Amino acid sequence: MEEHRLLVFHEKELEIVLNKLNLTEKVEREELKCNVCGRIITKENLGAILRKNGEILIICDSIECIRKAGGG
């Protein structure tokens, strides 16, 4: 069985979470893409941060992408 870990946080904590994961600069430079659809991730459209098999996956705010990333 695959293990999924979803990091849940309030949008007010976004900066803290991005800093802890060393992703702030990548988001600001628009270097990250949704692991499901390939859309460029910004602070405004970041929907989920998921740890899957030790890898951090960034998911956009599309309900469909979040559902697919969560295995649903």
Side-chain angles (χ1 to χ4, degrees), residues 34-60:
C34 174
N35 284 86
V36 177
C37 72
R39 182 173 154 199
I40 291 176
I41 297 294
T42 65
K43 290 178 184 177
E44 289 76 30
N45 74 358
L46 193 151
I49 299 174
L50 180 73
R51 179 167 289 183
K52 185 175 181 180
N53 298 326
E55 182 182 356
I56 293 178
L57 306 178
I58 308 298
I59 312 300
C60 74

Side-chain angles (χ1 to χ4, degrees), residues 20-35:
K20 284 186 177 185
L21 297 172
N22 296 317
L23 297 174
T24 303
E25 289 182 19
K26 289 182 178 183
V27 171
E28 289 172 355
R29 292 191 302 242
E30 298 185 350
E31 294 177 352
L32 296 176
K33 293 183 180 179
C34 174
N35 284 86

Side-chain angles (χ1 to χ4, degrees), residues 9-26:
F9 55 90
H10 191 279
E11 68 180 270
K12 291 179 183 177
E13 300 171 309
L14 179 60
E15 290 292 328
I16 294 168
V17 172
L18 291 176
N19 281 331
K20 284 186 177 185
L21 297 172
N22 296 317
L23 297 174
T24 303
E25 289 182 19
K26 289 182 178 183

